[in-house]
Amino acid sequence: MSYILLVVGFALLIKGADWFVDGASKIAKILRISPLLIGLTIVAFGTSSPEATVSILAALDGSAEVSLGNVIGSNIFNITLVVGLTALINPLKVESETIRKEIPFTLLGSTVLLILISDVVLQGLTENLITRSDGLIFLLFFSIFMYYIFEVARNSRDKLEVQDESEKAKWGKNSIRTVIGLGAIIFGGELVVRNSTEIAVSLGMSETLVGLTIIAIGTSLPELVTSIMAAIKKQSEIALGNIVGSNIFNIFFVLGTSSLITPLPVNGKVFVDIALMLILTVILLIFSRTNYRIGKKEGSFLAVAYVLYLVFIIIRN
């Protein structure tokens, strides 16, 4: 029954995220927000809502290690497999100045995370924790990011066409779709946390490993599907914006909110994963700066890197 409910939970997460993103994106268009900013904000935050739901519910349920593992695992999955497969389908052009600023911001997020969890080394404490104070720091950075995005949105709004009355008439339908999608995400997230933890215990897996693998992959499926669809439609700005925006949201908002609920214990093994996340973000930055595109060769490298990482963490356990 746990396996069946886990699958049902993932199905609700994916379909809920699909409805949430679809409804929210259409509302954003009615409000005259550019496609690039929709990718960086509405779509990115929508596809990251499963990660947020799972991590916050895990913190509430006392499975705090799942919260950190989920965020790190999801970010690595996004940088490697999601970018890799998307680039293999259609090379990603990195032309926008906004996106070129977002990737360094993602790198900053990983660096801040590494510093804040190094309590034993930097402060001489007996254990590493993401405290409530650390959570406030994450949320402060998230506020700065949102201020920057809204400034860009305000400056670009006048360049967009005004939507006709028929589009505005669909406001109510899209709002209902968005709310139903969010409800499915929350309920699906609860099923995923509860049942994956039960399965992990029965298989002798640690909570951290479950967060890094099963939950991270499951909650990142919306990012994968959304980015692949954007690549097929040759909307590379939305595809890459979705991935980068999701990673920023995961670190600053998801970890910030989860650690405000309860301090998150840090498994010593996670330092290796965070270091890999930093290295992979630097590689993504280099790839995006090279001719301002991520081609099929770079995509292949990133996809293979995720497979090797997955083998590594399973053997490590």
Side-chain angles (χ1 to χ4, degrees), residues 6-313:
L6 181 64
V7 172
V8 170
F10 277 139
L12 284 170
L13 279 175
I14 294 164
K15 191 60 184 174
D18 178 43
W19 277 34
F20 180 82
V21 169
D22 185 53
S25 296
K26 286 176 180 174
I27 290 171
K29 286 179 182 177
I30 293 169
L31 295 173
R32 292 164 62 200
I33 300 173
S34 73
L36 171 63
L37 290 169
I38 290 172
L40 284 167
T41 55
I42 304 293
V43 177
F45 300 167
T47 54
S48 286
S49 51
E51 282 97 323
T53 306
V54 167
S55 291
I56 290 167
L57 288 172
L60 287 169
D61 290 345
S63 303
E65 281 190 20
V66 170
S67 299
L68 183 57
N70 177 32
V71 167
I72 297 168
S74 293
N75 280 17
I76 291 174
F77 183 87
N78 288 344
I79 295 168
T80 53
L81 199 64
V82 177
V83 174
L85 292 180
T86 306
L88 283 171
I89 292 169
N90 189 42
L92 296 171
K93 293 180 181 178
V94 191
E95 298 173 350
S96 167
E97 183 182 352
T98 305
I99 285 189
R100 293 202 303 269
K101 289 177 180 176
E102 303 306 326
I103 297 174
F105 203 90
T106 309
L107 188 61
L108 173 66
S110 302
T111 306
V112 170
L113 174 60
L114 185 60
I115 291 169
L116 291 180
I117 66 170
S118 303
D119 296 330
V120 174
V121 174
L122 297 179
Q123 299 185 52
L125 301 179
T126 54
E127 63 176 338
N128 295 310
L129 278 176
I130 300 179
T131 63
R132 289 188 173 91
S133 299
D134 295 337
L136 288 172
I137 293 171
F138 282 132
L139 291 175
L140 177 62
F141 274 104
F142 183 70
S143 301
I144 294 168
F145 170 69
M146 288 307 298
Y147 175 77
Y148 162 71
I149 286 294
F150 282 127
E151 279 297 301
V152 174
R154 188 172 62 84
N155 293 333
S156 64
R157 196 172 184 225
D158 295 336
K159 300 175 185 176
L160 299 173
E161 295 179 5
V162 178
Q163 297 291 315
D164 59 35
E165 291 301 319
S166 63
E167 285 295 320
K168 291 182 180 179
K170 297 177 183 176
W171 176 278
K173 178 184 174 183
N174 290 321
S175 298
I176 292 169
R177 194 177 180 88
T178 304
V179 171
I180 291 173
L182 186 60
I185 288 167
I186 293 169
F187 183 61
E190 188 174 355
L191 287 177
V192 168
V193 170
R194 188 187 308 142
N195 293 286
S196 62
T197 306
E198 286 179 10
I199 293 167
V201 171
S202 67
L203 296 176
M205 295 169 67
S206 68
E207 286 187 355
T208 301
L209 181 65
V210 175
L212 286 168
T213 53
I214 299 171
I215 297 179
I217 293 170
T219 56
S220 290
L221 289 178
E223 280 94 335
L224 181 62
V225 174
T226 303
S227 293
I228 285 175
M229 289 305 295
I232 291 170
K233 294 175 183 177
K234 297 185 178 179
Q235 295 177 324
S236 59
E237 285 191 339
I238 288 182
L240 193 55
N242 170 38
I243 295 158
V244 174
S246 293
N247 281 16
I248 291 169
F249 183 84
N250 286 345
I251 291 176
F252 290 129
F253 181 80
V254 176
L255 280 184
T257 306
S258 299
S259 57
L260 274 182
I261 294 167
T262 181
L264 306 178
V266 179
N267 188 314
K269 294 177 181 177
V270 158
F271 282 90
V272 175
D273 302 287
I274 295 174
L276 282 170
M277 182 170 67
L278 265 167
I279 292 166
L280 289 166
T281 306
V282 171
I283 290 171
L284 179 65
L285 182 60
I286 293 168
F287 284 169
S288 65
R289 295 280 184 178
T290 307
N291 299 321
Y292 300 109
R293 70 193 294 275
I294 299 173
K296 293 188 176 182
K297 288 182 180 178
E298 292 91 342
S300 301
F301 174 86
L302 291 169
V304 170
Y306 184 73
V307 174
L308 294 174
Y309 168 71
L310 204 57
V311 171
F312 162 71
I313 57 176

